[in-house]
Amino acid sequence: MIRILLVEDDKTIALGMEYALQQEGYSTTVCYNAKTAKEKIQQESYDLAVLDVALPDGDGYELCRKIRERSDIPIIFVTAM
């Protein structure tokens, strides 16, 4: 099963995206902040990361760098900006 890391601080948006991805058969891990996402990146491996650019305690670009230290998985940035 394809595993997706979804990092989005807006819970309404995150829940909608998670639901849509799960309906398509993807295993989804949702994080609402950079701190939790960094922990998950260290503990788990993923096939795709979907990152919000603006997070309450960091940003998606920083998370992208962390992911790139460990993996070359595809990364999609999402933002309301």
Side-chain angles (χ1 to χ4, degrees):
M1 180 175 284
I2 295 176
R3 301 184 70 217
I4 298 176
L5 175 64
L6 172 59
V7 185
E8 169 61 63
D9 64 322
D10 184 312
K11 291 186 180 179
T12 303
I13 293 171
L15 290 173
M17 292 175 72
E18 178 184 29
Y19 177 79
L21 291 166
Q22 289 177 345
Q23 290 301 302
E24 295 297 322
Y26 300 110
S27 172
T28 308
T29 299
V30 179
C31 299
Y32 300 108
N33 58 51
K35 179 180 184 254
T36 305
K38 288 176 191 175
E39 292 169 1
K40 292 293 183 183
I41 291 165
Q42 296 298 322
Q43 298 167 354
E44 307 286 336
S45 63
Y46 297 95
D47 300 298
L48 171 70
V50 179
L51 309 177
D52 188 359
V53 172
L55 297 166
D57 61 342
D59 62 53
Y61 301 119
E62 178 186 355
L63 289 175
C64 180
R65 286 188 287 278
K66 288 285 186 193
I67 292 169
R68 284 291 173 252
E69 290 173 4
R70 300 176 52 91
S71 173
D72 64 348
I73 64 169
I75 296 172
I76 298 172
F77 287 101
V78 295
T79 184
M81 291 192 278

